[in-house]
């Protein structure tokens, strides 16, 4: 399925269980897909780069794009 809502995809470049093509396919055709590839991070960005992931999520969720993703 093609994402229809703003979507944040975060992947580790050192993840050996998912090929880069998986991420390209996951975001293909999505109208508002943000892809972030983390250098030196494997399959578990939440465990391997938790602070960076938290920063990315906070930034993504605070963006005001007119579609409702803004701070109250």
């Amino acid at each position: 399925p093609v994402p229809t809502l703003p979507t944040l995809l975060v992947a580790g470049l050192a993840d050996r269980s998912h090929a880069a093509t998986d991420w390209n396919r996951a975001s293909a055709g999505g109208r508002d897909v943000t892809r972030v590839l983390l250098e030196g991070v494997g399959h578990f960005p939440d465990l391997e780069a938790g602070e960076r992931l938290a920063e990315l999520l906070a930034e993504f969720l605070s963006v005001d794009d007119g579609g409702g993703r803004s701070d109250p």
Side-chain angles (χ1 to χ4, degrees), residues 16-71:
R16 290 184 265 168
S17 65
H18 290 84
T21 54
D22 290 342
W23 297 105
N24 292 333
R25 188 176 53 221
S27 62
R31 57 168 218 192
D32 189 6
V33 177
T34 301
R35 294 186 325 157
V36 179
L37 298 174
L38 300 175
E39 190 100 22
V41 175
H43 189 69
F44 299 101
D46 53 331
L47 299 176
E48 299 172 51
E51 287 184 30
R52 179 66 181 129
L53 181 60
E55 291 169 0
L56 290 167
L57 287 168
E59 181 181 322
F60 180 77
L61 293 171
S62 69
V63 171
D64 183 5
D65 65 358
R69 283 191 300 156
S70 61
D71 291 335

